[in-house]
Amino acid sequence: MKQIKVMVVDDSAVVRQVLSGLLGREPDMQVTYAVADPILAGERMRLQWPDVVVLDVEMPRMDGITFLRKIMAERPTPVVICSSLTEKSTRTSMEALAAGAVAVVGKPKLDLRQSLRDGCDELVAAVRSAAQARLQPPSGSRPPAPPVAPSAKLSADAILPPMGEGAPPARGNGRVVALGTSTGGTQALERVLTELTPAAPGIVIVQHMPEQFTAAFAERLNGLCQITVREARNNDPVRPGQALIAPGGRHMLLRRGPSQYFVEVVEGPLVNRHRPSVDVLFRSVAKCAGASALGIIMTGMGDDGAVGLLEMRQAGARTLAQDEQSCVVYGMPREAVKRGAAERSVALDAISREILQYGGMERRANEGL
């Protein structure tokens, strides 16, 4: 078994010790170095370059963002940000994602040892996913990392029941677009949303991201986009020219009111090992919007969203998958394609155009053109 070589960079000795222990016990991982700051990390990397770097953002001598940019300029390498849940750290983590980090996991300050152990599954999955990330055109020189070890997981049935056989098709309140993504999705979503105009239909999004990070992520996108982007709140209406991002740590469902859609934000167990789950959102869209929806599954590891996208297609929705060439990790779209859930695969650069064209079809219909 090829081992994933991991470097841990954090100024806390406790964090280095705990993370090294948690990752080192995985049979497919080897912590090659655990160092206190980026200067030491750079020296060690000249001796042995890691497959994945687990990086803090606030450190002495050099901050994590500067170090990340140096890595990407010298030799693009998958980086997982492990950051404390403070406002400053969260905003800096968003900068790190924009600079090329592939994932972010939270590092709560209270009961640090126990909280890091509790978040072990999330961290391990993030490192495995990062090891598969393609930050440049694949050369074929490195085989993919081993898949995540199978374990019991809940389906969307844990949150809402599936559509019954023979159920009448849903009648929507105008068109809605549902996006689901994970590893590599922060950069992909930025690419898509910044190319949309206020004429875009209402958009609902699940991006796998820890609690407290989604608000900063949405705020950052809102400052870059022509459309409005924000973290969803319970009962928020879904409006044209607006994108609602599911809050980390809670599921988001689409609901239909008398005259418009709105979102419901709910507690609940992990679905497909995620909360929020793409499958939960997509199933809710299938049930209440049906043929009035466009579903798009984008870059990410695993299979969350594949079943939900198939349910959307069976309910009459249009469905797309991001193509393999433009994905950082071609996991979620691959599973959707294998199940026949996606009508077509499209490149990342084409997704915004597909969304605008979809919204334009509704406007032309309303105008009788």
Side-chain angles (χ1 to χ4, degrees), residues 28 127 157 173 258:
D28 59 341
V127 169
D157 294 356
N173 294 324

Side-chain angles (χ1 to χ4, degrees), residues 3 14 48 68-69 72 77-78 92 117-118 153 157 178 193 226 243 275 295 310 324 339-340 342 351 354 359 369:
Q3 288 192 312
V14 172
Q48 183 178 32
L68 172 63
R69 289 177 176 144
M72 294 305 168
T77 302
T92 308
R117 291 190 180 96
D118 291 344
K153 63 179 182 178
D157 294 356
L193 298 183
Q226 298 181 60
R275 186 176 54 236
L310 179 59
E324 182 174 5
R339 287 172 167 82
I351 291 177
E354 294 280 351
L369 300 177

